[in-house]
Amino acid sequence: MIRVLLADDEAMIRAGVRAILAAGEDIEVVAEAGDGRAAVSLAQAHRPDVALLDIRMPGLDGLAAGEEIVRTMPGTAVAMLTTFSEDAYVARALGGGATGFLLKSGDPYELIAGVRAVAGGAAFLSPKVARHVIDGYGAQRTVRGADARARTAALTPREREVLGLVGEGLSNPEIAARLHLVEGTVKAYVSAVLDRLEVKNRVQAAIVAHEAGLVRL
């Protein structure tokens, strides 16, 4: 089972999200919080696989709570769930270590798929959010592409291959199957790639992979 912590300051929203997640038979909501501080405390108590956090909450907001969870509980993946998709929110969430960004206005399937993806070590962005990310980086694509190619040039051929598959959104088990490797070896490659690129998470690594032209279309 994928164990989820759900944080939103509106009880009705939590009830709706919980009902949607219940449709995924492999997902269980193990704790609920109405604000960011409670979310951090409950994450520390329950050690969920995924912390699904609303952005705008009283006291400590979801962005700050997500950063704290990422910092103190690396085994818990953080995904943001919000009605807002402004660039500033997306940039801070991904920069703070979140690997999922989901919109409440999206299809319920996106919510289930997003939780499963981040729990499996992959990244998931709602289509509208992905559009924001693409547009935001488009203006500086040429410069960033050259920088990304320079950064990935130091990787071994196998590390670049793994990075390209991370860029495709594959999880560690899926990369292992594609490359005929054991999952532990893939995990080691991914960790090495993140360290050598000096990025915080798979989302940031995936962006570098796209900019460097390592992702097969």
Side-chain angles (χ1 to χ4, degrees):
M1 295 292 289
I2 299 172
R3 303 172 68 254
V4 176
L5 161 68
L6 172 60
D8 195 294
D9 60 334
E10 296 186 41
M12 289 187 65
I13 295 295
R14 294 201 305 271
V17 172
R18 184 172 64 249
I20 291 172
L21 294 179
E25 297 180 355
D26 56 339
I27 300 174
E28 176 187 11
V29 176
V30 297
E32 295 184 28
D35 62 74
R37 295 193 187 284
V40 173
S41 295
L42 288 171
Q44 292 171 341
H46 292 272
R47 302 283 170 169
D49 301 302
V50 178
L52 188 58
L53 310 175
D54 183 32
I55 287 182
R56 292 189 175 181
M57 292 188 290
L60 192 69
D61 66 25
L63 294 169
E67 291 169 356
E68 181 66 12
I69 291 172
V70 168
R71 186 182 69 82
T72 59
M73 286 159 285
T76 296
V78 170
M80 310 310 300
L81 177 64
T82 181
T83 55
F84 307 100
S85 60
E86 286 90 339
D87 292 344
Y89 288 128
V90 177
R92 181 176 168 190
L94 301 183
T99 53
F101 202 105
L102 307 165
L103 298 181
K104 295 177 182 177
S105 58
D107 190 296
Y109 172 76
E110 288 180 15
L111 180 58
I112 295 174
V115 168
R116 287 173 175 163
V118 299
F124 191 97
L125 302 179
S126 288
K128 290 182 180 179
V129 176
R131 184 74 260 170
H132 274 279
V133 173
I134 292 170
D135 290 344
Y137 283 97
Q140 303 178 15
R141 188 170 300 158
T142 301
V143 174
R144 296 186 66 88
D147 177 68
R149 287 189 292 274
R151 293 170 68 185
T152 57
L155 302 178
T156 67
R158 178 63 91 183
E159 287 172 342
R160 284 195 294 272
E161 189 173 21
V162 169
L163 176 60
L165 296 177
V166 169
E168 290 184 31
L170 272 62
S171 64
N172 287 352
E174 291 170 332
I175 295 174
R178 180 79 66 87
L179 300 181
H180 306 290
L181 299 172
V182 298
E183 187 175 343
T185 299
V186 171
K187 184 176 181 180
Y189 273 123
V190 171
S191 295
V193 168
L194 296 183
D195 287 341
R196 297 183 71 176
L197 293 180
E198 297 183 345
V199 295
K200 294 181 179 179
N201 55 53
R202 297 172 76 100
V203 172
Q204 295 176 352
I207 291 172
V208 174
H210 279 275
E211 291 174 342
L214 298 179
V215 179
R216 292 181 296 179
L217 301 177

